[in-house]
Structure formats: C-alpha cells, structure tokens
Amino acid sequence: MRPGIIVEVNAADRAWLEAIMADRNSPQKHVWRAAIVLATADGLGTNAVMRQTGKSKTAVWRWQERFAEEGVDGLLRDKTRPSRIAPFGPEVGERIVALTLAEPPGETTQWTGRAMAKAAGVSLSYVQRVWHSHGLQPHRIRTFKLSNDPAFAAKVRDIVGLYVDPPAHAVVLSIDEKSQIQALDRTQPGLPLKKGRVGTMTHDYKRHGTTTLFAALDVLDGKVVGRCMQRHRHQEFIRFLNAVEKTVPASKAMHVILDNYAAHKHPKVIAWLARHPRVTFHFTPTSASWLNAVEGFFAALTKRRLRRGTFLGVVDLQAAINRYLAEHNLDPTPFRWKADPDTIIAAAARGHQTLDSIH
C-alpha cells in the first residue's frame, strides 16, 4: 500500500463491497475496485493485491487512495478527465454564427448542419450546439404579410372595439367563407391508432368535388350559423346574409365583420345593405384577415374534422360539416380578444420601417 494511505473497512462498508462483488449485474470495474479494497483490508501487500486482481500498481494505489478519501461512493463513480482534444476557442463559434447569418454558398437557400460543419471544419454536433446556444434555426422560416391599408390603425381599433366592448342592444357577427373544401376519399383504407403505432392514411386520394362554407360567428355567445353552397359569389353571399338576419331578433342591430373579398363589396350587396339599415359592415384592413374571429373556427374545423376526414362525395362532406356545426353549437365558447390594438399597430409600423430600410 502506498505510504501515508490508510485503508480501514468497517462492517457496513465490508458488507456493501461484498454485495457489489456478489451481484452479477455489477459493472466489472466496480467489482475489481471492491476487490482491491477488500484485499488491502485483509492485510495483503501491494504486490499480492496486484497478482490477485490483475491490475497495475498505479491502479491499486489510485483506488486505495480514493477509498481512503471518499469511501465506497468514491469507488462507484469515475472522475472526469480532460479531453485529449483541445476545445475550440470562441472564435470558431463566432465564425459559425457569422456564416449562418450570411447567404449560403452556391445555389442553396439555407444552411444545413452538415454543410456548416464542412464549411467550418467542425463536427455536426458542435454546429448544432452553437446554433442552439444562439437561438439560430436556419431550417425554419416564418411567413408574414404587412397590410398596406392607409386606414389600418383606424380599422384595427374599430374591430377590436367591437370585440372588447360591443354596442348595447346589438349582435356582433364575424362572417367569412371557407371556399374550395374538397371532398376527398382515400384510395385505400387506413389503419387505426394502436399502442406503438400511429394511425395511417394513404398519401393519394380521390377528389369528388368541392363545397364552400359560409359561416357567421356570434362573438358574444360563440355560436356559428353555417351554410354550405356550391359556388362562392355575391348571390350566395346575399342568400347567406338573409339566412343570418332571420336568426337575429328584429330589435337588435347587426355589426358584421368582413374581409375585403370582392363579393362582399359587390353593388348588389351594397344595395342589400341599404335595404337593411340595422346591418353595419366593418371591413378588416387589407391583408389582415386574421382580425376576423371566424378564422379561428375555420382552423378548428380543418384540424378536427376535415384534414383526416374521408368523404364519398360532396353531399357526404356537407353532412359532416353540418354535424360538426351542430355539435359545436351545443357547447359554444364566447370569443375573447386579448391583444392590445396599440401593440399591433406599433408592430406593423416597425415592420414597415424594416421593409423600407431594406428597399
């Protein structure tokens, strides 16, 4: 034993070490470390311990010293060792960030991890760590569209005001159309969801026609009035307006939020509006249909009923949509607007400033 190192094994530690050696599931490195300590405690010298365990003198001394300092816990863990390869300096990460923010070489539109690793002369995992630490995701892109409507701010405040503080004795309706809903039938039946396997669906389909859903969302109670029609013109829009008006009590005014689709501003629609003075149209800014609350209902309809649906024809598709509308209206949720209009207007202004600086 190395001079100055004293190995004393009490009864509890001996029982623990013997259990480690007896356990068939113990890692072999733990077994021979325990054997070194027990042999030392039994009075064997360094050479005898080396012969019994088949380990070198430095290994015997190392684990004798580790046990003397930290006990059995010290035998069960390895101390970290410095890498044989020197770590990269900060300049390598800075170069990767600079390359990522610049245009990629050749006829490619974005960097990939392997392309960056090759260009920087590092490993793929190192590139991924640098990107993660700097919040860089070159494989992703977000789409946007800024409204060029000169009355953007006024229209945003007008529509948000209807959502947040609707007029007394009035109904606020968000109206829009979801056009070109396809009646898709799969070419082969899919398999259902089960443990260890996701549901399946063929990538190809049979197209049996389309329909257009006209929908009016009552902002106050969350109910939706919907009609499926074959075409998407001002004639169908007027028919839908007549159907919606019948559902609103005659004593209440109607404030209708619409986007800028041409059918909504057709001369015959304007004439219909003149014949119904209790109805007021509020148009969203151009390229800002996200202000229309009914778009959220369309998103839920697509995600929960249409995207994975299988329909044998247009009639089957329309029946499914009508059932979904009826089910939605059994437990509607009132629409709640939470965004600050001033924040929206300021963000749009910053976006225009950025675009102007680029141009």
Side-chain angles (χ1 to χ4, degrees):
M1 186 168 56
R2 179 185 295 184
I5 301 299
I6 300 174
V7 177
E8 295 180 353
V9 181
N10 56 35
D13 287 344
R14 179 176 287 275
W16 191 355
L17 294 171
E18 291 176 349
I20 291 173
M21 295 182 64
D23 188 354
R24 297 177 57 185
N25 293 322
S26 296
Q28 285 301 304
K29 61 182 180 180
H30 295 170
V31 172
W32 60 257
R33 292 171 189 175
I36 289 174
V37 174
L38 288 176
T40 304
D42 292 338
L44 298 181
T46 300
N47 291 331
V49 175
M50 291 168 55
R51 288 193 298 270
Q52 181 172 318
T53 60
K55 300 301 175 183
S56 65
K57 180 184 294 186
T58 55
V60 172
W61 284 356
R62 180 187 304 118
W63 296 107
Q64 288 172 343
E65 182 178 359
R66 182 75 62 82
F67 178 80
E69 293 175 353
E70 304 180 24
V72 178
D73 289 331
L75 304 180
L76 302 182
R77 60 180 177 82
D78 298 320
K79 288 188 176 180
T80 57
R81 299 179 179 88
S83 174
R84 293 176 296 175
I85 303 175
F88 292 115
E91 66 280 357
V92 178
E94 294 172 0
R95 180 166 178 263
I96 291 175
V97 172
L99 286 173
T100 305
L101 298 179
E103 290 294 327
E107 294 298 321
T108 57
T109 58
Q110 74 278 344
W111 283 101
T112 64
R114 288 179 172 82
M116 179 59 70
K118 182 179 180 180
V122 298
S123 66
L124 172 61
S125 60
Y126 185 79
V127 171
Q128 291 171 338
R129 289 197 299 271
V130 172
W131 280 351
H132 179 74
S133 63
H134 288 82
L136 295 172
Q137 298 177 319
H139 63 286
R140 297 183 62 188
I141 191 168
R142 291 178 60 184
T143 58
F144 78 99
K145 176 66 176 180
L146 286 177
S147 174
N148 292 319
D149 196 322
F152 177 80
K155 290 182 178 180
V156 167
R157 289 195 172 95
D158 176 39
I159 293 175
V160 173
L162 291 175
Y163 291 149
V164 177
D165 187 19
H169 308 292
V171 174
V172 178
L173 298 171
S174 173
I175 293 181
D176 201 4
E177 304 88 17
K178 184 173 178 61
S179 60
Q180 297 296 309
I181 306 176
Q182 300 186 78
L184 301 181
D185 184 16
R186 302 295 160 177
T187 58
Q188 297 172 352
L191 297 176
L193 172 72
K194 64 179 293 187
K195 289 183 179 180
R197 187 190 69 198
V198 299
T200 63
M201 177 182 292
T202 59
H203 69 277
D204 56 345
Y205 52 83
K206 299 176 183 177
R207 188 170 179 268
H208 295 301
T210 62
T211 189
T212 295
L213 172 64
F214 290 75
L217 170 68
D218 190 330
V219 173
L220 295 180
D221 62 15
K223 290 186 177 180
V224 176
V225 177
R227 295 288 187 278
C228 289
M229 301 184 187
Q230 289 302 111
R231 303 187 69 178
H232 186 199
R233 305 171 301 171
H234 71 277
Q235 294 95 322
E236 286 77 18
F237 181 57
I238 291 174
R239 285 164 50 196
F240 180 66
L241 288 176
N242 289 328
V244 172
E245 192 199 16
K246 292 179 182 178
T247 65
V248 179
S251 60
K252 291 188 176 182
M254 292 173 55
H255 292 269
V256 178
I257 299 171
L258 296 162
D259 62 16
N260 293 274
Y261 184 60
H264 300 164
K265 299 181 178 181
H266 192 275
K268 291 187 178 180
V269 175
I270 302 303
W272 181 94
L273 192 62
R275 296 193 303 271
H276 298 78
R278 70 169 180 149
V279 181
T280 303
F281 282 1
H282 303 262
F283 291 99
T284 63
T286 57
S287 304
S289 294
W290 44 266
L291 267 174
N292 211 347
V294 75
E295 296 292 346
F297 171 78
F298 287 152
L301 170 67
T302 301
K303 182 178 180 180
R304 301 184 60 187
R305 186 62 187 92
L306 300 179
R307 183 170 296 154
R308 298 191 185 185
T310 300
F311 310 102
L312 301 179
V314 173
V315 175
D316 189 20
L317 171 62
Q318 293 176 342
I321 293 174
N322 291 333
R323 291 195 302 270
Y324 182 86
L325 285 168
E327 185 178 284
H328 170 84
N329 289 334
L330 291 177
D331 186 23
T333 301
F335 178 74
R336 295 288 182 265
W337 181 270
K338 298 181 180 179
D340 184 358
D342 293 332
T343 302
I344 296 173
I345 295 169
R350 290 194 303 271
H352 281 294
Q353 289 176 357
T354 303
L355 288 180
D356 293 341
S357 66
I358 293 174
H359 292 316

